[in-house]
Amino acid sequence: MAASASADPLSVTAVAASPDISVTNTQAHLTQLQSIATANGGNRGTGRPGYAASIGYVKGKLDAAGWVTSVQSFSTSSGTSSNLVAEWPAGDPDHVVMLGGHLDSVANGAGINDNGSGSAGVLESALAYAASGQSAKNRLRVAFWGAEELGLLGSKHYMSTLPTADKDKIEVYLNVDMIGSPNPGYFVYDDNPAGNGARDELTSWYTSKGIPWEYIDVQGRSDHAAFRSYGIPTAGIFSGAETLKTSSQAQKWGGTAGRAFDPCYHSSCDTTANINATSLDRGADLIGHMLWLYAAKDYGTTPAPSGNLLENPGFESGAVSWTGTSGPITNNSGRPARTGTWKAWLGGNGSTSTETVQQGVSIPSTATSATLSFWLRTDTAESGSTAYDTLKVQLVDGASTSTLATYSNVGANATWTQKSFDVTAYRGRTVSVKLLLTEDSSLQTSFVVDDTSLATS
Ligand code: PHE
Ligand code: ZN
Ligand code: ZN
Ligand code: CA
């Protein structure tokens, strides 16, 4: 019965609903890009002030929404161009999901359909994601490419300068170039179908909305080409350019047969008047759908290394892997090791002194938890309740130091005790685990440390 089925809580699966990306906001971005072109000689072409102003506009919006932006400049025969790349600061950095399109126009027009439309759709979806409160499982990255019109230069530059390890983290690249054509078609492309579910996600969305779609072979004519060449799954959407709409296409999509999908393609009439609002609306909604879907996709988790991240944790190899002042790491029998014969014996001088023992470690971002622990044995010639001699346990990350604990002569009783600290907050960071001894001018205190561990699970 329907009533009992809908009442069964176990049948409910939490799936983030696809967003409705605002076409009004998307159009407002196009109006801004048009104003930028109008104020700068009518175009947003490479090397022209309208391009730099376009980058400034998009960057300002993304920055204000909490996206972490970076601008990558490169030179072309028409002057300097740049890519704007933005990352959402959450999600697993080992699984990167990318969406992008080119932001440049040709030299003789404002480029509002080509490719203000794709840029505005990606921008508005990114802003909507930021406002949604979704928690991304994967790392989202959006890109606004420069100099596409000069031969896909920006996306090629990005891929050719990205370190291999970073390229290998990109799970998919979705390209958006022209989605508001005035005589629109609904095309889906995917030049490397092997292992590529993205194309199917695109076509399923159209089908679910009752919108007829067609595959098109775009032969690497846009910015997905550099990703595809590297072997990254790519797909894209496109509402058509200079090609004429056939009569069968006009039958299923409406519009005018025998007329170009975009009669103003690469022309000075590619203005805000050259946009079909329905096509723009559908394209923006589909970009939003893909962003939400891929943000949550399960690519599995990279297993965090388990066991001890510290090298030579019981000091049995002497000072190997540890740095600091020479001397504390010793097999001197004046103080016992907890295990083996070596340990870090800090202090015991009975004179003014400072000693350090430290080791750098990278705590994987994929760890569920991280714990720092060690054994400590303290004996002293001091008495009373004043801390004259101290041992600090610190985590140092560049210029910032946090002190996890401070031990002193007070209460020293020459017995081994294990100390441990939750350092989960340091996931994804490279820190130095540091022991810092300070002894005053008389009466020794010996802090003996052994069997250290920085363990993740
Ligand atoms: N990249 C082409 C341009 O900007 C347009 C295009 C997009 C062509 C997608 C084919 C597929 O001029
Ligand atoms: Zn173009
Ligand atoms: Zn284009
Ligand atoms: Ca030891």
Side-chain angles (χ1 to χ4, degrees):
M1 280 159 59
S4 64
S6 64
D8 178 0
L10 296 178
S11 70
V12 175
T13 311
V15 175
S18 282
D20 179 12
I21 303 301
S22 163
V23 70
T24 305
N25 293 354
T26 308
Q27 286 166 318
H29 300 314
L30 292 180
T31 300
Q32 292 300 315
L33 294 176
Q34 178 69 65
S35 301
I36 286 169
T38 304
N40 290 285
N43 72 81
R44 302 182 301 105
T46 301
R48 311 293 182 90
Y51 185 71
S54 300
I55 288 277
Y57 173 72
V58 177
K59 182 175 185 298
K61 291 283 176 188
L62 291 170
D63 285 339
W67 285 78
V68 178
T69 58
S70 61
V71 174
Q72 178 185 40
S73 294
F74 56 95
S75 52
T76 80
S77 57
S78 301
T80 301
S81 181
S82 49
N83 296 323
L84 171 63
V85 178
E87 225 175 73
W88 186 244
D92 184 349
D94 288 337
H95 298 292
V96 176
V97 166
M98 269 190 97
L99 269 99
H102 71 93
L103 186 58
D104 63 313
S105 72
V106 292
N108 65 335
I112 298 303
N113 186 33
D114 182 16
N115 182 35
S117 63
S119 303
V122 173
L123 172 60
E124 186 55 27
S125 296
L127 299 180
Y129 194 87
S132 72
Q134 296 280 311
S135 59
K137 181 177 181 62
N138 302 312
R139 190 59 65 108
L140 301 173
R141 192 179 296 164
V142 292
F144 300 83
W145 307 117
E148 188 269 359
E149 299 292 5
L150 303 184
L152 318 177
L153 301 185
S155 49
K156 285 182 185 168
H157 179 77
Y158 178 78
M159 282 302 279
S160 69
T161 53
L162 193 66
T164 302
D166 293 331
K167 286 187 194 129
D168 292 344
K169 290 174 182 163
I170 303 174
E171 302 286 357
V172 67
Y173 172 75
L174 295 166
N175 194 59
V176 190
D177 187 357
M178 304 180 72
I179 57 168
S181 303
N183 186 25
Y186 298 95
F187 296 103
V188 171
Y189 54 90
D190 158 17
D191 290 348
N192 58 341
N196 186 352
R199 180 185 72 172
D200 300 337
E201 300 288 4
L202 293 169
T203 58
S204 304
W205 184 86
Y206 280 120
T207 301
S208 76
K209 302 284 174 194
I211 303 167
W213 51 269
E214 278 184 20
Y215 290 131
I216 187 172
D217 180 359
V218 302
Q219 312 215 294
R221 272 184 67 190
S222 193
D223 294 299
H224 58 292
F227 292 83
R228 179 202 57 195
S229 301
Y230 189 73
I232 293 166
T234 63
I237 55 173
F238 177 47
S239 57
E242 75 283 6
T243 305
L244 307 186
K245 188 178 268 188
T246 65
S247 51
S248 68
Q249 288 172 328
Q251 260 164 30
K252 66 179 164 190
W253 286 326
T256 312
R259 185 176 168 81
F261 292 101
D262 181 358
C264 289
Y265 176 62
H266 284 186
S267 305
S268 58
C269 60
D270 186 8
T271 64
T272 45
N274 190 43
I275 291 289
N276 177 289
T278 301
S279 178
L280 184 70
D281 191 11
R282 290 172 170 179
D285 284 348
L286 178 46
I287 296 165
H289 169 71
M290 295 300 273
L291 194 57
W292 262 245
L293 185 70
Y294 276 84
K297 227 179 187 49
D298 189 0
Y299 289 108
T301 44
T302 311
S306 55
N308 196 345
L309 297 174
L310 294 173
E311 307 280 355
N312 185 25
F315 305 102
E316 295 307 307
S317 306
V320 171
S321 303
W322 296 93
T323 58
T325 43
S326 67
I329 298 175
T330 179
N331 63 354
N332 182 313
S333 61
R335 289 294 181 284
R338 179 175 171 271
T339 58
T341 48
W342 291 75
K343 61 269 165 178
W345 175 6
L346 296 112
N349 306 303
S351 58
T352 305
S353 40
T354 302
E355 294 172 2
T356 59
V357 168
Q358 62 192 51
Q359 180 172 149
V361 63
S362 293
I363 305 177
S365 59
T366 49
T368 307
S369 66
T371 306
L372 172 68
S373 67
F374 56 88
W375 289 79
L376 176 66
R377 179 190 184 277
T378 308
D379 66 82
T380 188
E382 302 277 8
S383 55
S385 59
T386 304
Y388 296 107
D389 307 321
T390 60
L391 177 73
K392 288 185 194 295
V393 180
Q394 300 179 320
L395 288 185
V396 183
D397 180 0
S400 93
T401 296
S402 13
T403 298
L404 302 177
T406 303
Y407 305 104
S408 76
N409 50 282
V410 178
N413 62 2
T415 54
W416 286 105
T417 39
Q418 190 177 28
K419 311 291 183 186
S420 58
F421 305 91
D422 182 352
V423 294
T424 309
Y426 292 83
R427 281 180 301 193
R429 291 166 65 176
T430 297
V431 293
S432 194
V433 175
K434 181 175 176 180
L435 303 171
L436 169 63
L437 164 104
T438 316
E439 231 182 334
D440 74 353
S441 59
S442 66
L443 299 174
Q444 76 85 29
T445 303
S446 290
F447 299 91
V448 186
V449 172
D450 203 357
D451 300 323
T452 66
S453 165
L454 206 164
T456 55
S457 64

